[in-house]
Amino acid sequence: QGRSLFPGLHVRYVVGNPSTYLYLDENRWEYTCSNETADSNETTGGNDTAGGNDTAGGNETAGGNERAGSCSEMLYRPYKPALGRAGWREDRRRYAWNRRRTGFDGLAPVNETSRFACQNESYNSWHYGLNWAEVEARNVPPYLRDHPNLARALELYPSRDVIYLVGQNDTCTDGYLGFCFESCWMYNYSCYGTSIDMRCAAMLEGPNRNYRAKNYMKHLAAHYGREVHELHEMPNVGHQAEELMVGALNSLHYLQLKNGRRVVE
């Protein structure tokens, strides 16, 4: 595990707070969100079904945000664009003063044929998913196109030493949802400043980075038939790279230094 081309050199990969992840199958997450919190108790994505069990209130925030909100239980199911709700839009004027807050408002109603958040034909294209038809057509980045044995690399991926990090409060959504998760580290000021990908293909992985990290671990476990790699949630950290890594170095033994070297075991 974690072996490299150089004997004696242990390789550990640390992934911190990405906006999206590469899915290895065509399943995605079925859920809905709203600023009505009476029927749901999830706000961050923290438990094994949907996320944290913190309740969100309905008050205005100090920074003038929309109400706090929450999301339903997330179900991992096969996705097809025809199963998505019509109407999802993301505001491409990312930091314009007057931002459209579309979110789930105005989407087609949830029913048996419209269960996912949105419709997107390229949801499984790089870098949201590994589409083997595109790999075979060589319509992928050079490092995938020229890979000597991509299937073998995926087979070996569970044995790699990979640690994922995510901030407990990395739940801000740049105002796209029409509400702000109360756990967002910028909740009392704004819900912005994280440049999170809120396009449809990203939303199919979850509504914020915290959800997406935890959902991805479940995806890997489902895909490989067992739990692989490790995810660690850094307490009281938002989308803050320095705080994330400092917290990891201070609290996680496998990232600490010993005699000038990283601890391996």
Side-chain angles (χ1 to χ4, degrees):
Q1 294 185 356
R3 288 181 294 179
S4 73
L5 296 175
F6 302 96
L9 178 62
H10 183 96
V11 179
R12 170 163 289 146
Y13 304 89
V14 180
V15 182
N17 273 11
S19 196
T20 58
Y21 297 81
L22 183 76
Y23 273 61
L24 305 178
D25 59 31
E26 297 186 1
N27 292 343
R28 294 298 187 272
W29 295 92
E30 176 187 310
Y31 66 96
T32 189
C33 302
S34 75
N35 59 10
E36 298 297 330
T37 60
D39 296 328
S40 178
N41 65 353
E42 295 86 25
T43 60
T44 64
N47 67 23
D48 289 338
T49 55
N53 58 4
D54 302 323
T55 56
N59 297 326
E60 295 289 331
T61 67
N65 273 334
E66 299 86 353
R67 295 177 57 186
S70 60
C71 296
S72 66
E73 178 182 3
M74 300 204 170
L75 303 176
Y76 185 63
R77 293 179 172 176
Y79 174 78
K80 294 182 179 179
L83 295 176
R85 299 164 67 184
W88 180 264
R89 303 191 309 275
E90 73 274 0
D91 182 3
R92 297 186 182 279
R93 300 171 301 152
R94 297 194 61 84
Y95 293 100
W97 179 256
N98 293 317
R99 301 168 58 89
R100 291 180 303 176
R101 293 172 171 84
T102 55
F104 287 78
D105 294 337
L107 296 185
V110 176
N111 54 48
E112 283 303 309
T113 59
S114 299
R115 305 192 306 264
F116 290 87
C118 52
Q119 301 174 348
N120 187 269
E121 294 289 342
S122 59
Y123 74 98
N124 207 37
S125 295
W126 186 267
H127 49 90
Y128 299 105
L130 188 60
N131 187 321
W132 283 101
E134 294 179 352
V135 172
E136 293 172 3
R138 300 176 64 80
N139 186 26
V140 289
Y143 49 86
L144 289 183
R145 185 184 63 219
D146 301 330
H147 197 287
N149 194 335
L150 185 56
R152 178 61 174 162
L154 291 176
E155 182 181 328
L156 293 174
Y157 187 56
S159 68
R160 302 304 184 196
D161 187 353
V162 184
I163 296 169
Y164 301 86
L165 303 176
V166 68
Q168 178 186 32
N169 303 112
D170 197 352
T171 59
C172 306
T173 53
D174 280 359
Y176 283 116
L177 296 184
F179 66 85
C180 191
F181 290 98
E182 197 169 23
S183 56
C184 164
W185 67 292
M186 295 290 286
Y187 181 77
N188 288 326
Y189 305 97
S190 71
C191 211
Y192 305 112
T194 65
S195 298
I196 185 172
D197 187 347
M198 298 296 281
R199 290 170 287 191
C200 178
M203 291 299 295
L204 294 172
E205 299 184 9
N208 60 48
R209 287 185 177 90
N210 189 285
Y211 265 116
R212 293 172 188 176
K214 293 170 182 175
N215 284 348
Y216 191 63
M217 297 303 292
K218 297 172 194 173
H219 156 71
L220 290 178
H223 183 77
Y224 287 109
R226 67 186 191 278
E227 292 186 359
V228 300
H229 305 159
E230 298 178 24
L231 172 68
H232 292 271
E233 184 180 57
M234 294 295 101
N236 304 314
V237 174
H239 193 59
Q240 302 160 285
E242 182 176 354
E243 285 81 355
L244 186 77
M245 294 308 300
V246 168
L249 288 168
N250 288 338
S251 63
L252 304 178
H253 72 278
Y254 46 76
L255 290 182
Q256 290 181 342
L257 294 173
K258 184 177 181 180
N259 297 326
R261 297 183 178 182
R262 299 293 182 204
V263 176
V264 174
E265 298 180 342

